[in-house]
Amino acid sequence: MPLTPDSLPERIVIKSRLRRRGIYLLPNLFTTAALFAGFYAIVQAMNGNFEYSAIAVFIAMVLDGLDGRVARLTGTQSEFGAEYDSMSDMVSFGVAPALIVYEWALKEMEQWGWIIAFIYCACAALRLARFNTNIEVIDKRFFQGLPSPAAAALIAGLVWVMLNFDIQGNDIKWLASIVTLFAALTMVSNIPFYSGKEINLRRRVPFFTVLLLVLFFFVLIPSHPPLVLFILFAAYAFSGYFIKLWRFGKSKRNPDESNR
């Protein structure tokens, strides 16, 4: 049946709506992939494959960073996507790291082990809830508290690097508990952490900066991924405290500026 002039605009509108829905699927597919990586990390931890679990957490972190950027680039940001992303983050960066470190090291501590793992899980939930409620009022340049993906990467990095050096969780259960509590409490603290959101990749950057990034991602990380990633996120976890101390020292030297 040939299209009439009256039915043609309707067909165009339908195709346009379908196209928009298809674009909205793109960031949510990345979120779903991150959720799958977190679920896979939990399953592998239950099976005792802790190295696979740790790697899956890092994969989830990369995918979580991509979904928001894809949504902004394609103009497909939505309330549903933001809520779905938070649910995925809770699994990948809250439940998964807590279960991994519990099965790997804290299980031998009996009730104290699962209490520490639960504290981390609860702090991750509180961190995500606070981020969602304060997203419009905080300084975009800094996160309030350690981001949950970075906290998860710190724990996963510890597990991965220790396994790489043939150190079992039972041998360092107290160190694992300290790192877990440090990551948990830092997430719900008011310590500022640089967000990097003011970096605009569309602007021109110096050649030296590009060279450093290439060396970091294609030379340094591949040379020893577990050690390099653990050092990187450990340094980031402590960087907020240095920023806090620097601000405190600056306010002591210039009390008038701190009161503005």
Side-chain angles (χ1 to χ4, degrees):
M1 179 181 177
L3 291 174
T4 62
D6 293 334
S7 62
L8 187 58
E10 183 179 354
R11 182 67 60 87
I12 294 174
V13 169
I14 292 173
K15 285 184 178 180
S16 177
R17 287 176 179 173
L18 289 174
R19 190 179 297 113
R20 287 200 298 270
R21 290 177 184 175
I23 292 173
Y24 277 91
L25 283 176
L26 187 58
N28 291 328
L29 284 176
F30 280 95
T31 305
T32 303
L35 178 61
F36 173 78
F39 179 76
Y40 178 83
I42 294 172
V43 172
Q44 293 303 316
M46 293 170 63
N47 292 331
N49 299 321
F50 299 111
E51 186 173 2
Y52 292 160
S53 294
I55 294 172
V57 170
F58 281 104
I59 293 173
M61 185 183 64
V62 173
L63 293 169
D64 178 68
L66 288 174
D67 61 359
R69 284 169 175 77
V70 168
R72 287 189 290 272
L73 287 173
T74 56
T76 54
Q77 297 165 288
S78 65
E79 244 181 87
F80 173 83
E83 294 297 328
Y84 186 35
D85 182 67
S86 292
M87 298 297 179
S88 174
D89 288 354
M90 185 57 210
V91 174
S92 299
F93 311 127
V95 178
L99 183 60
I100 292 169
V101 74
Y102 172 76
E103 289 287 339
W104 179 65
L106 305 183
K107 198 171 185 179
E108 299 298 322
M109 300 176 67
E110 298 180 351
Q111 70 270 19
W112 288 109
W114 65 259
I115 288 173
I116 292 172
F118 173 73
I119 290 173
Y120 175 88
C121 192
C123 288
L126 291 170
R127 171 68 178 79
L128 290 167
R130 184 177 66 177
F131 176 79
N132 290 339
T133 55
N134 293 347
I135 193 169
E136 298 298 332
V137 296
I138 61 173
D139 188 350
K140 300 293 184 182
R141 298 173 299 168
F142 295 93
F143 293 118
Q144 185 182 11
L146 183 66
S148 57
L154 181 63
I155 293 176
L158 175 68
V159 175
W160 194 8
V161 75
M162 291 303 170
L163 289 173
N164 201 255
F165 287 106
D166 294 323
I167 300 174
Q168 300 303 315
N170 295 336
D171 301 328
I172 58 163
K173 56 187 177 184
W174 291 107
L175 175 62
S177 64
I178 292 171
V179 173
T180 303
L181 287 173
F182 169 78
L185 298 178
T186 306
M187 276 193 290
V188 295
S189 69
N190 290 324
I191 302 296
F193 287 88
Y194 183 64
S195 67
K197 291 183 178 180
E198 62 183 4
I199 298 175
N200 190 348
L201 297 178
R202 295 180 181 179
R203 295 179 181 174
R204 292 183 178 181
V205 294
F207 175 76
F208 183 70
T209 303
V210 176
L211 181 61
L212 286 178
L213 290 173
V214 170
L215 289 175
F216 179 76
F217 285 104
F218 295 100
V219 178
L220 190 59
I221 290 182
S223 65
H224 200 290
L227 184 60
V228 173
L229 290 173
F230 176 67
I231 292 175
L232 173 66
F233 284 99
Y236 182 72
F238 283 104
S239 68
Y241 291 91
F242 288 112
I243 294 174
K244 188 73 173 179
L245 288 173
W246 178 76
R247 287 182 175 181
F248 179 76
K250 186 178 180 182
S251 66
K252 286 292 184 181
R253 291 192 302 270
N254 303 304
D256 294 337
E257 290 185 8
S258 62
N259 293 328
R260 290 178 184 177

